[in-house]
Amino acid sequence: DLGLAGSLCQAILTTAPDDFDALFVQAQLVEQTGVLEGALSLYDRAVLIRPDDTALLVKRGNLLRRLGRPAEALECFDRAAVFLPDHPAVHGNRGIALAELQRYADAVDAFAEVLRLRPDDIDTLANRGTMLVRAGKFAAALEDLDRALAARPALLPAIVGRATAYWRLDRHQ
């Protein structure tokens, strides 16, 4: 029960305001209720206690993205990548934040790192293809998007990306 968990966390924080676990759980509970700035405040307090906690950095980064603050989110994902350089989700989140910042070539590199770690990740293949389209690398984009569609023919982002790549490729030739 979320209400009970929240009450327990609040009781712990009343007597031990710097309890990392209570802060982290309370932040997640507050985020689930939609009070995003309140959750961010709790994540910020937790980061002061444990600045190298990758789960915290990823959660905080994703919340910052939801708040429309991709540059700050990218800082979280970059820090998490220092501690977990071989974690696909960290690089995937970096790629999404980079895309939101319109740094498409960097996003391509982040998604390439995910694919190095998980070569069969079809969603990431489609994401990289979409970023290649945005970076103007249409032939490479089509390779990724065609591979993604061969594995999952109804993958909508790959369908849209492929159509966009062909349309833009035709316009640039």
Side-chain angles (χ1 to χ4, degrees):
D1 175 69
L2 293 179
L4 177 60
S7 297
L8 290 172
C9 286
Q10 196 55 49
I12 293 168
L13 292 171
T14 299
T15 59
D18 292 333
D19 184 287
F20 174 82
D21 293 322
L23 280 169
F24 191 28
V25 170
Q26 183 73 1
Q28 292 172 77
L29 293 171
V30 170
E31 183 177 357
Q32 287 178 27
T33 67
V35 183
L36 302 184
E37 291 292 344
L40 181 59
S41 176
L42 292 164
Y43 284 135
D44 289 345
R45 286 175 53 197
V47 165
L48 294 174
I49 298 165
R50 211 178 285 170
D52 60 346
D53 188 286
T54 54
L56 170 62
L57 291 169
V58 169
K59 284 278 193 186
R60 184 174 182 274
N62 283 326
L63 177 58
L64 286 163
R65 282 191 46 249
R66 288 180 63 197
L67 288 167
R69 295 159 60 179
E72 293 172 75
L74 180 60
E75 291 175 18
C76 289
F77 301 136
D78 285 345
R79 284 178 49 201
V82 169
F83 302 111
L84 281 177
D86 291 331
H87 196 285
V90 170
H91 296 287
N93 284 315
R94 283 189 75 250
I96 293 167
L98 288 161
E100 289 172 345
L101 293 167
Q102 298 181 0
R103 292 175 48 189
Y104 303 124
D106 293 331
V108 167
D109 292 342
F111 292 132
E113 184 61 17
V114 175
L115 291 168
R116 182 187 70 78
L117 298 165
R118 271 194 328 223
D120 297 329
D121 187 325
I122 301 305
D123 291 316
T124 299
L125 190 61
N127 285 341
R128 184 175 71 178
T130 300
M131 292 306 103
L132 286 163
V133 170
R134 291 182 182 169
K137 299 180 185 226
F138 309 119
L142 287 169
E143 287 180 29
D144 279 0
L145 296 166
D146 285 346
R147 281 183 45 216
L149 288 169
R152 290 195 12 221
L155 185 61
L156 187 58
I159 293 168
V160 172
R162 188 171 187 268
T164 303
Y166 273 117
W167 178 74
R168 292 192 58 199
L169 187 61
D170 185 52
R171 290 185 50 182
H172 292 297
Q173 285 184 347

